[in-house]
Amino acid sequence: MSQETIIIQDVGPRDGLQSQPRVLPVEQRLELIRALLTAGLRHIQIAAFVSPKHVPAMAGAEEIVRAMAGEKGEFSVLVPNLKGYELARAAGSRLIEMVLYGSEGMANANARMSAAAVDQQASEILERAADDGIRVISTISVAFECPFDGPVDPARIEEMTDRLLAQGSEVVVIADTIGAAHPAMVERLLTALVDMHGAASLGCHFHDTRAMGLANVYAAIHAGIRRFDASIGRVGGCPFAPGAAGNVATEDVAMMVEQMGFDTGIDMQNLLDASALVKELTGNAPGGRANAWLQSQLARTA
């Protein structure tokens, strides 16, 4: 009997690098993306079409998209607004990601817009993307708790998810942007969403701020989710959300789900090599919590 698959999208080259003090040139970012491909990852968030003035680490997004054209994989790019969408389309992107907000405070801090205005803009992007044949992933930021407004009403997340899927989003990702969720909270919300929409159109994005990232991945799996964002070397965090520590590490998620019997298609030694690379390039990537143990196990079987 074949193994059930869990999709891991590595967001390190975008979400992971955007808040790093060391700005990596395009060549080094491409080196990291290709290291992830070598490790077997086929879903990678590679760039963001944002203002280089506000996010210098994402300059050269069009160069990265064009360099990856023809490579085998699902390469998504972040677009923050209609202008970003047009730039991504012109560069040849066929899979975009939008960020919406579970709270008013986070929308104002990150997008400098009201949450309603962000929702309206997302609707326009989804309409244009449908006409252009471009696939869309929608991420709901601070889906559990906001650093400005506090706990988020699950009913708002349920309503947003329903609307985004009805408008044409291929996947809606539920994001614990500041790492405030706990497993019981995760399982309650995701079980409700899976019951309403099925698991295939849902994903999760967890941060490890309170050391519960993996526990929350487990809770989401128990609810039926089979798609997760993670960041190589546990690098990253939202620069506009106070308290947002690193994303859950790709190597930790891959280790756990494979030990649980799922298939990821990932080669662990090559993944650890990619983790070492991002640490070398950034100078401060912490690495996965299990990296030392994983290396020792691989050395024993070499």
Side-chain angles (χ1 to χ4, degrees), residues 62 66 85-93 134:
E62 63 285 341
R66 288 172 182 147
Y85 172 79
E86 295 297 341
L87 290 171
R89 184 184 67 168
S93 297
I134 292 174

Side-chain angles (χ1 to χ4, degrees), residues 219-262:
I221 290 172
H222 197 260
I225 301 300
R226 297 294 183 265
R227 179 189 177 101
F228 296 92
D229 287 352
S231 184
I232 188 68
R234 202 155 42 103
V235 69
C238 179
F240 305 106
N247 298 283
V248 67
T250 303
E251 50 268 48
D252 288 343
V253 176
M255 175 199 70
M256 184 181 79
V257 302
E258 289 191 354
Q259 288 186 359
M260 290 172 65
F262 294 97

Side-chain angles (χ1 to χ4, degrees), residues 104-115:
E104 199 67 42
M106 192 62 182
N108 291 329
N110 203 12
R112 298 185 178 90
M113 298 167 64
S114 68

